[in-house]
Amino acid sequence: MNKVLILWAPMLLSLLLMAGCTSTPTSEAGAEVSEQSTGADGADGASGGEAATSAASQGGEWYGDPLENPNSLLATRVIYFDFDQSTVRSDYLDVIQAHADYLAANPQVVVRLEGHADEKGTREYNLGLGENRANAVRNLMLAQGVSDNQLVVVSYGEERPAAFEHNDESWALNRRVELIY
Amino acid sequence: MKKNIFILLVLLLWQPLLHAELTIEITEGVEGALPIAVSPFAWQGKGSPPEDIAAVINADLQRSGRFKTLPREDMLARPGTVEEIEFKDWRALDVENLVVGQIQSNGAGGYQIQFQLLDVFRGEQLTGYSIPTTAPNLRSTAHRIADLIYEKLLGVPGAFSTRVAYITSVKQPEGETRIDLNIADADGYNPETIVSSSEPLMSPAWSPDGLKIAYVSFEGGRSAIYVQEVYTGKRQKVTAYKGINGAPAWSPDGRKLAMTLSKDGNPDIFVYDLITRKLQPIARHYAIDTEPAWSPDGRSIVFTSDRGGKPQIYRVSAFGGKAQRITFQNSYNARASFSPDGEMLTLVTREEGKYRIAVQDLESGVMQVLSQGSLDESPSFAPNGSMVIYASKAGYRGVLAAVSVDGRVRQRLALQEGDVREPVWSPIKQ
């Protein structure tokens, strides 16, 4: 476990640094960290320390579909956004790069980019905001050489929340783009 | 034992129907509301009367917040005809207006209802009607009588005979969420589900004749605008372009729908002619343009746009052209719609981080915040302009609320379970 922590430390550190610039630091960074560590813990528990080690070296030891590798950046399928923003935060750029590389290498694969918003503000405006977020991810992927017909954008606005409380933590989890392969 | 299980099963099966019931409570009334008494209607027939007409009228008048109704137990007598009235008794109770009536079977399975509205101090009749009706329409006839009383005493038409459309979202035992588009009488009775889906439904809008509802459905995993006939259930897919198909709004003549489409890359306002099926761009900008609403004269459209950085309300000719910003107070104003007389807008505004319902006078530009929640949304005027209905949160649940335009009367409409949202009042029946 110690080993895992050390290996993840740079990632955690960068997340914490990023968190310093966001409006709801604890909630958004917290959500992300827990998601990542679940993946690492799962691999650790299932197949011993080896899987965790290979994760640190860019998931190079994974045999099979890279999409299934729980330790690769491709395992991150949700990109979170700041309040009222549709600009991709810099801490997600390498995640999007990884997905874009995968899609460029696999031109037959189509991904659905589902944009979402928190419940604050009006429903139809939030539909627009969700679409802007999905398009922000789409544009970055296009710039990385992904073909237009591999990307399907759908906005659900605030209609499909991932978290149901009426507080900052839930709102942070709902401002998102989901990548659905 | 077997019988008990059967009963339990029946109860479980009935559950979803019960959930759809709306209950209304008045949370704040007007001081100096008009004192009125509605005496139980005399039933001229066998057995008990088929419906307590007086109770329905009484509840309508009371719910409006404009009337102080006299409880039945405080009545000294319960006259069914004018001849039976002792006016001095009612004067002693400070009742200014009294309603008496009779209901009788007319033989052919129908009923005849007569009522009279009386000025207690003058001892004279203000209005009176005899209305034929049928068993399933007894409540709606009672609402019509309440409308007539309201209009006679307050000078504006009542909105009790109207219906309200709304969206409900109820988590199912299997973990799925069921989204329904429902309509109910304005007093919450007779709820009916007209569309049911496991995918989001949103933005219901009544046609001006009250016979159709336009809405957005995500069935099939993407948005499309549908128009459905309320009483036949027949529906038509109007637009299903790539991207957003949202925010349908009927033109006052019922011929066109304004809507939001993002088919060209970002949300813009279009007007779709339902007869020629032609699409005309009205407001195009690389920002978000959405939530169009027509002025009652059909000449202009207001919409939400963040072209200036933050969402604000803009006004444009219904044929397109240059849009002008019309909201300047607060940094977030969205989803505006007109009052029936065209003089006011109701909208969502953000004030100190809270999303609240406001009205803005179009001539003076003065905005007045009406609601008190922190996540209030989807405001629209009652068809007589007296109230604004909107969606709010009570604890974890979505509830509907209504507030009078002067902010003095407040009502809350809640479902027994699940969320209720996006209320829209139907037009007044012609």
Side-chain angles (χ1 to χ4, degrees):
Chain A
M1 195 59 210
N2 259 346
K3 204 170 171 190
V4 174
L5 238 166
I6 292 162
L7 292 168
W8 278 92
M11 181 80 187
L12 282 170
L13 192 65
S14 69
L15 274 170
L16 288 172
L17 284 174
M18 284 302 169
C21 342
T22 68
S23 54
T24 50
T26 45
S27 55
E28 298 223 332
E32 196 46 34
V33 169
S34 67
E35 190 174 295
Q36 294 284 5
S37 55
T38 312
D41 284 351
D44 203 21
S47 49
E50 214 176 42
T53 316
S54 66
S57 51
Q58 302 203 328
E61 307 269 322
W62 182 264
Y63 300 102
D65 188 345
L67 273 183
E68 307 293 326
N69 183 352
N71 300 313
S72 123
L73 286 172
L74 293 175
T76 299
R77 302 284 172 84
V78 185
I79 292 159
Y80 295 98
F81 288 76
D82 289 340
F83 172 59
D84 219 10
Q85 294 300 313
S86 49
T87 312
V88 176
R89 297 196 327 237
S90 53
D91 46 331
Y92 285 110
L93 293 178
D94 52 353
V95 171
I96 291 170
Q97 174 82 57
H99 283 280
D101 289 348
Y102 174 79
L103 287 162
N106 298 277
Q108 79 288 356
V109 175
V110 173
V111 68
R112 199 171 140 92
L113 305 172
E114 292 187 354
H116 299 267
D118 65 29
E119 64 181 341
K120 291 188 280 179
T122 62
R123 290 176 177 275
E124 288 282 358
Y125 181 76
N126 284 339
L127 212 51
L129 195 54
E131 189 177 74
N132 281 357
R133 287 173 178 158
N135 277 331
V137 174
R138 174 177 172 270
N139 291 338
L140 286 174
M141 289 183 168
L142 288 176
Q144 300 297 331
V146 179
S147 149
D148 189 28
N149 54 28
Q150 288 178 273
L151 304 169
V152 177
V153 165
V154 177
S155 175
Y156 281 103
E158 61 176 284
E159 307 301 315
R160 277 196 160 173
F164 295 87
E165 313 262 314
H166 306 297
N167 56 28
D168 287 338
E169 286 72 26
S170 277
W171 293 330
L173 291 170
N174 289 334
R175 294 189 293 266
R176 70 201 194 277
V177 169
E178 292 189 18
L179 283 68
I180 318 272
Y181 279 97
Chain B
M1 189 58 201
K2 226 172 188 171
K3 200 176 167 191
N4 282 346
I5 289 173
F6 176 73
I7 290 170
L8 187 71
L9 207 70
V10 169
L11 281 174
L12 284 173
L13 289 172
W14 271 90
Q15 211 76 318
L17 285 174
L18 293 173
H19 291 164
E21 200 88 15
L22 281 167
T23 53
I24 301 183
E25 58 177 302
I26 314 270
T27 51
E28 213 173 302
V30 177
E31 278 174 59
L34 210 54
I36 192 166
V38 185
S39 182
F41 280 28
W43 163 236
Q44 294 155 356
K46 287 192 284 281
S48 54
E51 180 77 59
D52 191 340
I53 300 291
V56 176
I57 299 169
N58 192 81
D60 280 350
L61 297 175
Q62 198 227 340
R63 210 177 57 247
S64 75
R66 303 281 158 189
F67 293 91
K68 199 175 99 195
T69 57
L70 185 73
R72 249 175 222 185
E73 57 271 23
D74 296 348
M75 294 179 184
L76 300 174
R78 296 174 179 186
T81 61
V82 177
E83 294 72 43
E84 292 168 39
I85 301 172
E86 288 288 348
F87 284 107
K88 64 172 179 356
D89 288 352
W90 299 96
R91 284 182 205 127
L93 291 167
D94 285 328
V95 169
E96 290 178 22
N97 295 284
L98 173 63
V99 179
V100 296
Q102 309 94 46
I103 168 167
Q104 60 198 45
S105 173
N106 67 6
Y111 298 94
Q112 196 71 26
I113 300 179
Q114 286 180 54
F115 81 94
Q116 282 157 297
L117 168 66
L118 302 127
D119 181 320
V120 169
F121 287 88
R122 292 194 193 150
E124 60 189 39
Q125 178 177 324
L126 295 172
T127 191
Y129 287 87
S130 179
I131 305 170
T133 186
T134 56
N137 288 314
L138 283 166
R139 286 192 72 91
S140 69
T141 305
H143 294 313
R144 272 183 62 202
I145 294 172
D147 281 338
L148 292 165
I149 294 165
Y150 187 96
E151 181 159 18
K152 188 76 204 170
L153 294 176
L154 300 178
V156 271
F160 304 120
S161 305
T162 54
R163 310 195 85 189
V164 174
Y166 53 96
I167 306 278
T168 55
S169 154
V170 181
K171 266 232 164 74
Q172 301 301 295
E174 319 87 70
E176 251 199 5
T177 302
R178 199 185 70 211
I179 319 281
D180 289 341
L181 168 56
N182 311 281
I183 50 175
D185 292 351
D187 63 355
Y189 276 78
N190 300 322
E192 287 174 83
T193 298
I194 65 163
V195 191
S196 192
S197 179
S198 57
E199 301 278 341
L201 296 170
M202 59 189 293
S203 304
W206 291 91
S207 63
D209 61 9
L211 297 176
K212 296 184 197 119
I213 292 183
Y215 58 90
V216 174
S217 170
F218 280 79
E219 57 202 84
R222 42 181 301 198
S223 67
I225 294 174
Y226 291 84
V227 168
Q228 182 163 328
E229 291 177 16
V230 175
Y231 299 101
T232 65
K234 223 170 74 184
R235 71 171 192 171
Q236 179 201 340
K237 196 192 269 185
V238 178
T239 62
Y241 289 101
K242 194 174 98 165
I244 294 170
N245 296 265
W250 296 84
S251 62
D253 63 7
R255 187 191 155 110
K256 296 170 184 168
L257 279 181
M259 58 179 65
T260 302
L261 301 173
S262 68
K263 64 185 182 67
D264 302 331
N266 66 293
D268 293 319
I269 309 291
F270 291 83
V271 166
Y272 179 83
D273 190 311
L274 289 161
I275 296 159
T276 65
R277 298 175 181 244
K278 278 204 180 117
L279 202 56
Q280 190 192 353
I282 297 299
R284 304 185 91 158
H285 194 279
Y286 55 81
I288 297 175
D289 292 335
T290 188
E291 300 170 335
W294 299 74
S295 62
D297 64 10
R299 288 206 283 230
S300 60
I301 288 174
V302 292
F303 62 97
T304 308
S305 177
D306 62 4
R307 56 185 65 187
K310 295 279 177 200
Q312 293 291 346
I313 307 301
Y314 290 75
R315 187 172 191 162
V316 66
S317 154
F319 302 100
K322 198 171 151 47
Q324 280 203 311
R325 182 172 163 183
I326 55 171
T327 50
F328 297 93
Q329 200 173 318
N330 297 342
S331 64
Y332 187 112
N333 291 298
R335 203 187 190 272
S337 59
F338 284 87
S339 59
D341 63 9
E343 288 177 9
M344 264 193 284
L345 292 180
T346 182
L347 49 85
V348 175
T349 193
R350 185 169 70 208
E351 205 180 46
E352 291 162 10
K354 294 179 161 62
Y355 295 81
R356 290 184 165 157
I357 308 307
V359 286
Q360 176 165 322
D361 183 273
L362 278 165
E363 203 176 288
S364 67
V366 173
M367 187 189 282
Q368 188 198 349
V369 175
L370 296 181
S371 75
Q372 302 161 326
S374 57
L375 290 166
D376 298 339
E377 61 179 355
S378 308
S380 69
F381 278 96
N384 65 356
S386 63
M387 310 276 289
V388 171
I389 195 168
Y390 61 96
S392 187
K393 294 276 189 297
Y396 282 112
R397 296 172 52 206
V399 297
L400 305 186
V403 57
S404 61
V405 173
D406 59 11
R408 289 162 73 197
V409 183
R410 293 177 193 281
Q411 303 173 1
R412 205 165 77 186
L413 303 76
L415 273 188
Q416 282 164 358
E417 201 175 289
D419 272 335
V420 54
R421 58 190 188 229
E422 297 204 75
V424 256
W425 228 306
S426 79
I428 289 176
K429 274 182 205 149
Q430 303 306 318

